[in-house]
């Protein structure tokens, strides 16, 4: 192994391989020549590719349950994008009460996903722990608070989804059943506690040190007419673009890269960012008054230009999600029917919703008999992947003087701050280096 | 509070990774006022919520431990935590983008949140191709685990 400082003309390949495991692998390979970063390749295993093929030939009524198994963290997001893509084909109009319940369900998922990332994945980086497990040994009460917050989100999903991890009661046209008023009201006390705890969480993470370089992101998010986006709205960017979701595939191109099962998605040929930083940048005016008030106290200005500040954006969104859940529960009147009638017919439908990690696009082509002819799924991580690689390309020159372990830790931390679907796995990266002279 | 919770983990659409969920489905008829049977999911951390409110917890998941396909492994938690941490579980950190099974159990142990008795059955998987078809050896092991869990229930109920 040569020291890159004393032997700068060598080509140095930094590889971070993940632990061998069941479902494929992800890894980061960095090639350096003459002290310059030449290539950065982030390899991610991405389940949607398998499911696109698996969905072909399945009946549309099976779709919500199948797509809920694509991701263990965001089953609701996949269900929401799927039913919103399919319903227009069948001329289904979702009544306001059912629409509100779907929003409530989505609040539960944002809470679960974000709280997991804040408490168990990103906070340990700021506090100097190698993992959430290590942090739990020293700060058990802190982790217990995070788990209680997560559980409050979990309870919303359990109530509306039937089963907590893979909700099965979402269906085309609505829900297979809806909760009574009393059942929703019963959650109120815990949600009030959780909203207070979310305020404290935001105040806590706002005190962290954010040291990664600022950058000028191209942000992409949904933006509806009147509410912070979850299920509706055209796509907007901070560069003035305004696109209907039906135009998504004209402007966003996926390309296969040889080193990854994930497709890289670019916007008009460039990298861009979707997720909490983008939503905050483009929709902060639509946060609830209470959330805005607490956020104003942090003194931060928008947009956030550092990836590490995702933890602040996620904490704001957790607070908002609890506030929004309480608002929906307060005014809830059960709809007369849990779903509206659906008449299956052939056609093509698209939708995008805001998964915890960002824009999740679905397109389905349905046959006369209700089977799926084509399914296309573009998850947030493949959209952000190129941005992550760009960042690493820019940041790596500052890490080259470090040894392998330190350089790997810096890369992992930066990747993790984006909360890609592999973020947990980056705790298990194995670092190796090859020298080619 | 129930006496026993049985939670089958895995992905019913990913070949042998379905086995934990399928064991739970076979035991659904077994649920009573004292025994609850759940289909867990892909995220280990949700297990922390699901494991609340019971004395005895029985978990079933697919595992990749370089044993013969269909091998049934039985672990007692927390005694075997270190050992299960070395194996690749169907509900693993990297395959599900989530906190894996071993991490979730370790965290529960750290926070003193484990039920009194925890038993984990691992079934060595063969393939994880998309679809519903189990490897024959895994299918056979599934029946074996269902029978073993019935025995576990008897031993705990007479303990």
């Amino acid at each position: 192994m040569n020291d890159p400082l004393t032997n700068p003309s060598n080509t140095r390949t930094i590889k971070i391989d993940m632990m061998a495991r069941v479902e494929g692998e992800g890894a980061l390979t960095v090639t350096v020549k003459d002290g310059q970063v030449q290539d950065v390749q982030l390899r991610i295993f991405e389940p949607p590719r398998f499911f696109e093929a698996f969905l072909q030939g399945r009946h549309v009524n099976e779709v919500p349950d199948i797509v809920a198994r694509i991701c263990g963290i965001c089953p609701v997001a996949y269900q929401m994008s799927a039913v919103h893509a399919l319903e227009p084909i069948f001329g289904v109009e979702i009544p306001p009460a059912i629409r509100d319940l779907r929003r409530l369900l989505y609040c539960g998922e944002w809470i679960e996903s974000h709280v997991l990332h804040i408490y168990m994945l990103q906070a340990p980086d700021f506090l100097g722990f190698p993992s959430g497990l290590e942090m739990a040994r020293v700060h058990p009460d802190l982790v217990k608070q995070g788990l209680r917050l997560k559980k409050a989100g979990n309870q919303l999903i359990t109530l509306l989804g039937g089963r907590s991890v893979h909700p099965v009661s979402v269906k085309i046209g609505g829900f297979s059943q809806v909760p009574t008023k009393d059942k929703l009201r019963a959650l109120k006390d815990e949600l009030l506690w959780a909203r207070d705890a979310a305020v404290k969480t935001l105040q806590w993470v706002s005190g962290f040190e954010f040291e990664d370089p600022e950058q000028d992101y191209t942000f992409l998010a949904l933006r509806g007419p009147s509410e912070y986006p979850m299920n509706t709205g055209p796509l907007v960017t901070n560069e003035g673009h305004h696109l209907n979701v039906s135009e998504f595939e004209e402007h966003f191109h996926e390309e296969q890269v040889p080193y990854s099962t994930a497709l890289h998605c670019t916007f008009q040929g460039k990298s861009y960012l979707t997720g909490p930083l983008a939503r905050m940048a483009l929709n902060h005016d639509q946060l609830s008054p209470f959330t805005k008030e607490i956020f104003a106290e942090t003194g931060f200005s928008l947009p956030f230009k550092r990836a590490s500040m995702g933890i602040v954006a996620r904490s704001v969104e957790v607070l908002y999600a609890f506030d929004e859940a309480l608002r929906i529960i307060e005014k809830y009147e059960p709809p007369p029917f849990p779903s509206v009638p659906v008449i299956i017919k052939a056609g093509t439908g698209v939708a995008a919703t805001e998964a915890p990690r960002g824009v999740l696009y679905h397109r389905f082509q349905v046959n006369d008999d209700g089977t799926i002819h084509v399914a296309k799924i573009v998850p947030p991580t493949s959209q952000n992947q190129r941005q992550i690689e760009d960042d690493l390309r820019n940041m790596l020159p500052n890490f080259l003087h470090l040894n392998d372990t330190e350089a790997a830790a810096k890369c992992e931390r930066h990747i993790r701050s984006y909360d890609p679907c592999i973020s947990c796995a980056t705790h298990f990266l194995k670092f190796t280096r090859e020298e080619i002279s | 509070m129930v006496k026993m919770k049985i939670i089958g983990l895995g992905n019913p659409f990913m070949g042998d990774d379905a086995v934990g969920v399928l064991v739970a489905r076979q035991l659904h008829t077994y649920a009573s006022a004292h025994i609850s049977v759940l289909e867990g999911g892909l995220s280990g951390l949700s297990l922390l919520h699901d494991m609340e409110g019971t004395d005895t917890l029985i978990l079933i998941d697919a595992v990749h431990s370089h044993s013969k396909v269909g091998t049934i492994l039985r672990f007692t938690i927390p005694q075997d935590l270190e050992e299960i941490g070395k194996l690749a579980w169907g509900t693993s950190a990297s395959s599900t983008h989530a906190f894996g099974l071993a991490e979730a159990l370790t965290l529960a142990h750290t926070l003193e949140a484990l039920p009194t008795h925890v038993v984990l059955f691992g079934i060595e998987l063969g393939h994880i191709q998309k679809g519903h078809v189990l490897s024959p050896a895994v299918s056979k092991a599934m029946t074996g685990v269902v029978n073993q869990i019935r025995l576990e229930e008897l031993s705990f109920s007479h303990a």
Side-chain angles (χ1 to χ4, degrees):
Chain A
M1 202 155 48
N2 294 323
D3 186 329
L5 289 179
T6 56
N7 206 348
S9 64
N10 275 356
T11 299
R12 178 191 188 197
T13 304
I14 301 170
K15 275 187 170 177
I16 306 175
D17 281 317
M18 288 185 194
M19 214 169 70
R21 60 182 193 278
V22 181
E23 274 194 19
E25 61 181 50
L28 174 70
T29 305
V30 179
T31 312
V32 184
K33 192 175 183 185
D34 299 337
Q36 301 288 315
V37 177
Q38 287 212 314
D39 198 19
V40 175
Q41 298 184 343
L42 181 62
R43 200 163 72 225
I44 296 177
F45 173 75
E46 212 182 24
R49 303 298 151 220
F50 289 78
F51 278 85
E52 281 176 343
F54 183 52
L55 282 161
Q56 283 174 19
R58 308 300 291 244
H59 194 271
V60 289
N61 290 339
E62 293 181 275
V63 171
D65 196 28
I66 293 173
V67 297
R69 314 286 176 152
I70 295 176
C71 174
I73 301 289
C74 43
V76 170
Y78 281 94
Q79 290 190 316
M80 289 295 113
S81 285
V83 294
H84 284 95
L86 290 166
E87 282 163 353
I89 303 174
F90 313 132
V92 171
E93 297 258 345
I94 295 299
I98 291 175
R99 197 182 163 279
D100 278 353
L101 283 178
R102 285 182 171 177
R103 192 167 171 82
L104 184 61
L105 177 63
Y106 225 145
C107 286
E109 179 154 291
W110 277 23
I111 291 163
E112 278 219 83
S113 175
H114 283 353
V115 168
L116 167 68
H117 195 264
I118 293 164
Y119 276 85
M120 300 309 293
L121 297 172
Q122 209 181 353
D125 281 336
F126 286 103
L127 300 177
F129 293 98
S131 72
L133 286 176
E134 295 298 324
M135 193 174 85
R137 290 196 177 99
V138 182
H139 299 295
D141 291 338
L142 186 65
V143 171
K144 280 181 189 166
Q145 171 168 291
L147 291 174
R148 187 172 164 190
L149 275 168
K150 184 177 174 298
K151 188 178 175 184
N154 187 266
Q155 284 173 324
L156 289 172
I157 297 178
T158 305
L159 196 63
L160 293 160
R163 264 186 295 159
S164 63
V165 180
H166 295 295
V168 290
S169 89
V170 169
K171 60 184 275 193
I172 299 166
F175 288 86
S176 52
Q177 54 185 327
V178 292
T180 61
K181 213 166 164 173
D182 286 348
K183 282 228 162 162
L184 275 191
R185 291 276 165 87
L187 296 178
K188 197 175 158 186
D189 284 350
E190 186 63 9
L191 291 173
L192 285 167
W193 171 86
R195 187 173 60 181
D196 282 347
V199 171
K200 290 182 190 137
T201 303
L202 175 56
Q203 290 163 344
W204 169 56
V205 303
S206 297
F208 290 164
E209 301 274 336
F210 306 99
E211 294 165 338
D212 52 322
E214 289 199 342
Q215 11 193 10
D216 291 317
Y217 290 112
T218 299
F219 289 123
L220 174 81
L222 294 178
R223 181 174 167 89
S226 60
E227 60 189 17
Y228 200 76
M230 286 181 179
N231 277 333
T232 55
L235 293 157
V236 298
T237 72
N238 53 328
E239 293 163 1
H241 301 94
H242 190 280
L243 306 164
N244 289 322
V245 176
S246 58
E247 300 173 276
F248 184 89
E249 291 177 56
E250 288 169 37
H251 297 275
F252 298 85
H253 294 286
E254 288 189 301
E255 53 189 77
Q256 183 76 54
V257 287
Y259 51 85
S260 175
T261 60
L263 298 171
H264 277 199
C265 194
T266 54
F267 172 53
Q268 299 177 343
K270 294 187 302 183
S271 52
Y272 62 99
L273 190 69
T274 180
L277 289 180
R279 285 193 294 258
M280 280 281 286
L282 297 165
N283 293 285
H284 58 90
D285 59 311
Q286 293 179 331
L287 290 165
S288 64
F290 180 63
T291 309
K292 281 185 197 167
E293 185 189 320
I294 302 296
F295 175 62
E297 288 170 10
T298 66
F300 288 121
S301 55
L302 290 167
F304 292 148
K305 293 184 166 184
R306 292 184 164 99
S308 62
M309 295 192 75
I311 197 168
V312 181
R314 277 182 277 279
S315 298
V316 170
E317 289 193 338
V318 168
L319 173 57
Y320 172 72
F322 279 120
D323 207 29
E324 182 69 351
L326 282 160
R327 183 189 68 81
I328 292 170
I329 286 173
E330 195 61 45
K331 66 165 196 176
Y332 176 65
E333 292 292 338
F337 301 101
S339 65
V340 295
V342 176
I343 296 162
I344 304 286
K345 58 182 176 190
T348 298
V350 299
T353 70
E354 286 282 356
R357 291 168 182 74
V359 172
L360 172 60
Y361 172 81
H362 283 205
R363 170 167 57 84
F364 293 107
Q365 197 177 332
V366 180
N367 299 317
D368 282 336
D369 62 357
T371 55
I372 298 293
H373 184 58
V374 174
K376 182 173 177 63
I377 298 172
V378 183
T381 294
S382 79
Q383 300 178 67
N384 288 341
Q385 187 171 349
R386 176 135 160 207
Q387 179 70 53
I388 299 172
E389 288 188 357
D390 287 353
D391 284 15
L392 291 170
R393 204 172 286 121
N394 292 332
M395 295 169 78
L396 269 158
N398 304 322
F399 301 159
L400 291 180
H401 65 287
L402 301 171
N403 68 31
D404 288 358
T405 311
E406 290 166 341
K410 293 268 188 191
C411 292
E412 284 175 24
R413 178 173 173 168
H414 191 73
I415 296 168
R416 195 154 48 235
S417 69
Y418 279 108
D419 189 18
C421 287
I422 55 160
S423 58
C424 303
T426 56
H427 277 295
F428 301 91
L429 291 176
K430 200 169 71 184
F431 193 89
T432 56
R433 182 171 76 173
E434 284 173 14
E435 296 278 348
I436 309 160
S437 36
Chain B
M1 189 86 174
V2 292
K3 280 186 181 162
M4 179 184 275
K5 273 193 185 179
I6 300 167
I7 306 180
L9 302 161
N11 191 335
F13 300 108
M14 291 291 272
D16 289 341
D17 191 27
V19 67
V21 170
L22 296 179
V23 168
R25 285 181 189 171
Q26 290 217 354
L27 289 166
H28 263 160
T29 51
Y30 207 52
S32 68
H34 305 296
I35 301 175
S36 106
V37 182
L38 304 175
E39 286 178 29
L42 305 176
S43 163
L45 213 51
S46 295
L47 196 56
L48 288 166
H49 310 313
D50 288 343
M51 73 168 69
E52 289 176 2
T54 184
D55 290 330
T56 300
L57 175 67
I58 301 209
L59 301 167
I60 312 101
D61 196 6
V63 68
H64 179 53
S65 69
H66 302 286
S67 308
K68 203 173 144 202
V69 175
T71 303
I72 299 169
L73 305 170
R74 183 187 184 282
F75 301 97
T76 308
I77 311 297
Q79 290 85 335
D80 298 330
L81 271 180
E82 200 177 325
E83 196 179 344
I84 68 161
K86 292 176 189 161
L87 304 176
W89 293 88
T91 309
S92 74
S94 40
S95 67
T96 64
H97 328 146
F99 234 65
L101 173 61
E103 294 80 38
L105 290 172
T106 306
L107 180 61
H109 180 53
T110 303
L111 298 176
E112 297 172 0
L114 281 177
T116 315
H117 308 286
V118 181
V119 174
L120 165 63
F121 287 100
I123 300 169
E124 185 73 21
L125 52 74
H127 78 96
I128 50 156
Q129 305 304 311
K130 60 185 185 294
H132 293 297
V133 183
L134 287 186
S135 304
V138 172
S139 186
K140 199 174 160 195
M142 180 170 74
T143 311
V145 170
V146 167
N147 290 334
Q148 279 202 42
I149 289 172
R150 292 192 165 128
L151 290 175
E152 301 271 349
E153 197 277 324
L154 282 175
S155 69
F156 283 121
S157 60
H158 292 99

